[in-house]
Amino acid sequence: MNSNITNYSECEIINPTLLTLILPAKQVHTDEDIKEKLLFDFFETLKKEQNIHAVMWKSHKNDKGNIIFHVLINKFIHYNILRNMWNAVINKHPFWYVLKSGRETPNSTDIQAANICDFKLKPFFERPNPFIES
């Protein structure tokens, strides 16, 4: 993904999606375990099932102490598909965050079609850039 957009004509050819991924139950694993075993597994699933090859992400803690991921991907994917993919990943042994939430399909995502030139995306393109691209 081009992090040096120089003019608005480049914005028109990119149709990204901005995802916010959360855990629907109290986090009981380390941030590193969640990243390495859940987030990166989610990225692999995106690559295999949706042909996504450009991913940028940022994480922080919410007010409950759970890690949250903000992810920018290089194409639009319907929110139900992304939520189901994330829920499937976070419900694998030994994590079971969907099961622990008590709901069959918890709302564990916030999905938005993103305008690459939108001011809300500015943190993804600031230097130094701490995000992963693959």
Side-chain angles (χ1 to χ4, degrees), residues 19 21 81 84 123:
L19 303 73
L21 306 173
I81 293 169
N84 291 339

Side-chain angles (χ1 to χ4, degrees), residues 56-73:
M56 295 187 342
W57 63 276
K58 184 175 187 172
S59 66
H60 65 89
K61 294 280 195 171
N62 68 8
D63 56 352
K64 295 178 183 178
N66 284 4
I67 194 164
I68 292 178
F69 300 103
H70 300 285
V71 180
L72 185 64
I73 58 176

Side-chain angles (χ1 to χ4, degrees), residues 5 15 19-20 28-31 35 39 47 55 63 70 74 79 83 90 96 100 103 111:
I5 303 254
N15 190 18
L19 303 73
T20 300
V28 294
H29 299 87
T30 67
D31 291 353
K35 288 176 195 174
L39 183 66
K47 185 183 281 188
V55 173
D63 56 352
H70 300 285
N74 63 322
Y79 75 91
R83 183 182 62 199
I90 64 175
W96 293 318
K100 291 174 186 174
R103 290 170 277 162
I111 313 298

Side-chain angles (χ1 to χ4, degrees), residues 88-104:
V89 167
I90 64 175
N91 206 39
K92 291 181 180 175
H93 173 76
F95 296 95
W96 293 318
Y97 282 103
V98 171
L99 183 66
K100 291 174 186 174
S101 77
R103 290 170 277 162
E104 191 173 317

Side-chain angles (χ1 to χ4, degrees), residues 9-24:
S9 64
E10 292 180 49
C11 299
E12 296 169 5
I13 61 170
I14 301 171
N15 190 18
T17 301
L18 181 61
L19 303 73
T20 300
L21 306 173
I22 63 169
L23 300 173

Side-chain angles (χ1 to χ4, degrees), residues 33-124:
D33 278 345
I34 302 278
K35 288 176 195 174
E36 290 176 12
K37 298 180 178 128
L38 298 180
L39 183 66
F40 296 151
D41 189 21
F42 179 72
F43 291 162
E44 283 301 312
T45 304
L46 278 174
K47 185 183 281 188
K48 289 176 189 170
E49 294 183 15
Q50 299 294 325
N51 199 28
I52 297 293
H53 297 286
V55 173
M56 295 187 342
W57 63 276
K58 184 175 187 172
S59 66
H60 65 89
K61 294 280 195 171
N62 68 8
D63 56 352
K64 295 178 183 178
N66 284 4
I67 194 164
I68 292 178
F69 300 103
H70 300 285
V71 180
L72 185 64
I73 58 176
N74 63 322
K75 76 175 190 179
F76 178 77
I77 302 172
H78 193 274
Y79 75 91
N80 276 331
I81 293 169
L82 291 166
R83 183 182 62 199
N84 291 339
M85 287 172 62
W86 177 242
N87 283 345
V89 167
I90 64 175
N91 206 39
K92 291 181 180 175
H93 173 76
F95 296 95
W96 293 318
Y97 282 103
V98 171
L99 183 66
K100 291 174 186 174
S101 77
R103 290 170 277 162
E104 191 173 317
T105 55
N107 187 11
S108 57
T109 58
D110 180 33
I111 313 298
Q112 301 174 15
N115 177 342
I116 201 72
C117 295
D118 193 323
F119 72 93
K120 292 183 288 188
L121 300 180
K122 184 179 177 188
F124 283 100

